[in-house]
Amino acid sequence: MPEQLLYAMEVTLNGLMAGVMYSLVALGFVLIFKASGIFNYAQGVLALFAALTLVGLQNGQIPFAHLINAALGTNLHSFGWKLPVLVAIALTALVMVGLAILIEKLVLKHLVNQAPIILFMATIGLAYFLEGLGDVMWGADIKKLDVGLPQGISETVESVTDSIFGYGFFIDNLDIVATVVAVLLVASLTIFSQYSKQGRALRAVADDHQAALSVGISLRFIWVLVWSIAGFVALVAGIMWGTKSGVQFSLSLIALKALPVLMLGGFTSIPGAIVGGLIIGVGEKLFEFSVGPMIGGATENWFAYMLALIFLVFRPQGLFGEKIIERV
């Protein structure tokens, strides 16, 4: 088999893995949009906040230590102990649930039946607030996140592909784990959305807040539930991205990469978030491989948005999104 074709296959496989990482972020956006009909600008910051909290709890760091030291002249930094990984993850998940409850009580319950743009602006304010809160609580330095996930090139994949094609593919173990986790998440969320009582209530709230309230559906409970699930998805995404590139405040910018994924897959489709991510991941890798050298490279920075723009022109609802027809 020609070497260029083998290399293209390796690039495609790496693109699929990268697409799964994008999809993990996009899933949180889909959940919030299905429940409230708004684009949650704060989803990327939720992933950052979850990762910061996990590292802080894992290392036994004292929250607000910098603020306490500045106010009282002390030199506090940590409790002197470290939590086991699973305990730290469980506590972080509880923190995200508590955060969801606070968001509903302090923000969302005051915005029932408001225009979507008002809700969207609220999520922008929430994003900047959480980013500042994470800074004050845990500090702004880059942190290493290690929850025991395998990293580095997979020797198994390399040896198997070498025996089949005579050319070993270099695939990161972390990307393989992320793929398995994403498949499990999508399967679980799809089953929850389609077949559970709460999932059907979630779809009813997304269609019409007032109608859902009139048949006894608790809007406040649904919002707490969906923001809790989105917080858990953000935690998973934060773990994967934080392990891959370190926990730093640029982590919140992964939300921008989720935008074209949503435009391709559709804002209301959980499987669409995965398919959109895979298309973006493979597309940008192959485009960089085939066209990048001819135009100076760095095409991964803009290819996804160009592809999303094309979709907006010809299929604005995305591949799996619902086509809404309004009669006037």
Side-chain angles (χ1 to χ4, degrees):
M1 192 175 291
E3 185 175 336
Q4 282 294 98
L5 180 58
L6 288 172
Y7 188 52
M9 291 171 60
E10 180 183 7
V11 169
T12 300
L13 195 53
N14 274 291
L16 290 172
M17 301 296 180
V20 167
M21 297 289 281
Y22 299 153
S23 299
L24 284 174
V25 183
L27 279 173
F29 287 101
V30 170
L31 288 168
I32 300 296
F33 193 88
K34 284 174 73 70
S36 59
I38 60 166
F39 177 78
N40 177 27
Y41 186 85
Q43 187 64 32
V45 182
L46 283 176
L48 168 66
F49 186 81
L52 285 171
T53 302
L54 177 57
V55 173
L57 291 174
Q58 197 175 353
N59 294 331
Q61 184 178 344
I62 298 175
F64 303 105
H66 297 289
L67 191 62
I68 295 171
N69 292 337
L72 303 179
T74 54
N75 190 30
L76 302 172
H77 293 289
S78 69
F79 292 108
W81 41 258
K82 293 187 177 183
L83 288 176
V85 172
L86 292 179
V87 174
I89 291 175
L91 288 176
T92 304
L94 289 177
V95 169
M96 300 309 290
V97 172
L99 183 62
I101 295 172
L102 287 175
I103 289 172
E104 191 280 327
K105 285 185 177 296
L106 300 178
V107 181
L108 297 179
K109 81 172 185 178
H110 303 290
L111 300 176
V112 176
N113 292 322
Q114 294 293 327
I117 187 62
I118 301 297
L119 291 166
F120 173 64
M121 294 300 293
T123 67
I124 293 178
L126 181 63
Y128 285 107
F129 171 77
L130 287 177
E131 192 166 334
L133 180 63
D135 187 359
V136 174
M137 282 186 69
W138 307 112
D141 54 311
I142 299 176
K143 298 172 175 60
K144 177 180 173 59
L145 177 58
D146 184 8
V147 294
L149 295 178
Q151 297 185 66
I153 303 302
S154 172
E155 295 182 0
T156 302
V157 173
E158 185 180 3
S159 61
V160 169
T161 52
D162 185 53
S163 63
I164 296 174
F165 303 110
Y167 177 86
F169 291 177
F170 293 152
I171 304 297
D172 196 313
N173 279 309
L174 181 63
D175 291 336
I176 298 174
V177 172
T179 301
V180 174
V181 169
V183 169
L184 293 175
L185 264 180
V186 170
S188 302
L189 291 173
T190 301
I191 292 171
F192 169 79
S193 177
Q194 298 295 329
Y195 301 108
S196 71
K197 180 180 178 181
Q198 291 80 8
R200 291 191 293 271
L202 185 152
R203 299 203 307 275
V205 168
D207 288 339
D208 191 319
H209 291 176
Q210 286 284 25
L213 286 170
S214 69
V215 296
I217 295 175
S218 172
L219 183 59
R220 296 182 63 179
F221 170 75
I222 290 298
W223 273 356
V224 168
L225 176 65
V226 77
W227 277 80
S228 297
I229 297 173
F232 176 74
V233 172
L235 171 59
V236 174
I239 289 174
M240 297 303 171
W241 281 95
T243 302
K244 192 179 186 72
S245 56
V247 180
Q248 49 192 315
F249 278 77
S250 61
L251 186 64
S252 63
L253 299 178
I254 59 176
L256 299 178
K257 205 68 175 187
L259 268 173
V261 173
L262 294 167
M263 291 174 188
L264 264 67
F267 278 82
T268 59
S269 173
I270 291 173
I274 294 295
V275 174
L278 296 178
I279 293 174
I280 292 292
V282 172
E284 67 180 16
K285 295 292 184 184
L286 284 178
F287 193 81
E288 175 70 26
F289 167 68
S290 58
V291 181
M294 295 184 284
I295 58 177
T299 62
E300 291 186 26
N301 296 329
W302 52 263
F303 173 81
Y305 301 97
M306 180 192 72
L307 187 59
L309 180 60
I310 295 173
F311 263 77
L312 283 176
V313 172
F314 295 101
R315 191 175 173 83
Q317 74 269 28
L319 291 173
F320 297 90
E322 299 170 358
K323 189 172 184 179
I324 299 174
I325 300 174
E326 295 186 358
R327 301 189 185 278
V328 295

